[in-house]
């Protein structure tokens, strides 16, 4: 409870351009759940789905287990709650794009044989 009060007393974040969020825990829960829902549109064998589901579930479990915003920030260890929200929003948008791109499907045209040779030697 102290972490919620402490967070509520923050007037700003230490990050330029990020506004303070009044209820970051609820925002994170919603974003993580929505991301997992969107990922259901990606084949279960897709490396993107496997990796993204794993870290999203890990973060969601932390947020669900902790009521204290400071504890959430410490356990996830990737910035302030508002930065975590920004990251979650970005991942959600990427997941939506990934589904629309159907990136797991075969290429429409075969890639050039030397596409992955680098650097090009002449």
């Amino acid at each position: 409870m102290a972490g919620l009060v402490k967070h509520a007393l923050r007037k700003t974040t230490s990050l330029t351009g990020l506004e303070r969020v009044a209820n970051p825990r609820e925002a994170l829960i919603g974003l993580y759940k929505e991301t997992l829902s969107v990922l259901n549109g990606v084949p279960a064998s897709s490396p993107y789905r496997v990796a993204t589901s794993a870290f999203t579930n890990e973060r969601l479990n932390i947020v669900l287990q902790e009521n204290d915003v400071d504890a959430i920030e410490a356990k996830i260890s990737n910035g302030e709650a508002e930065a975590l929200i920004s990251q979650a929003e970005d991942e959600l948008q990427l997941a939506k794009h990934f589904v629309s791109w159907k990136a797991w499907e075969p290429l429409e045209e075969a890639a050039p044989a030397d596409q992955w040779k680098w650097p090009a030697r002449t």
Side-chain angles (χ1 to χ4, degrees), residues 14 16 29 38-40 49 69 72 80 105 116:
S14 64
T16 302
I29 290 170
V38 169
L39 289 172
N40 285 331
R49 178 177 174 177
V69 176
I72 291 169
E80 293 182 30
E105 291 184 352
W116 302 112

Side-chain angles (χ1 to χ4, degrees), residues 21-77:
V21 174
N23 298 309
R25 183 175 178 273
E26 289 77 14
L28 286 168
I29 290 170
L31 288 164
Y32 292 148
K33 285 183 175 181
E34 186 176 355
T35 299
L36 291 169
S37 176
V38 169
L39 289 172
N40 285 331
V42 178
S45 62
S46 165
Y48 174 72
R49 178 177 174 177
V50 170
T52 306
S53 293
F55 79 75
T56 302
N57 272 312
E58 180 181 341
R59 289 181 174 199
L60 177 60
N61 288 331
I62 290 169
V63 176
L64 290 172
Q65 292 171 2
E66 293 290 342
N67 289 319
D68 182 88
V69 176
D70 291 333
I72 291 169
E73 292 172 347
K75 285 188 175 182
I76 293 178
S77 188

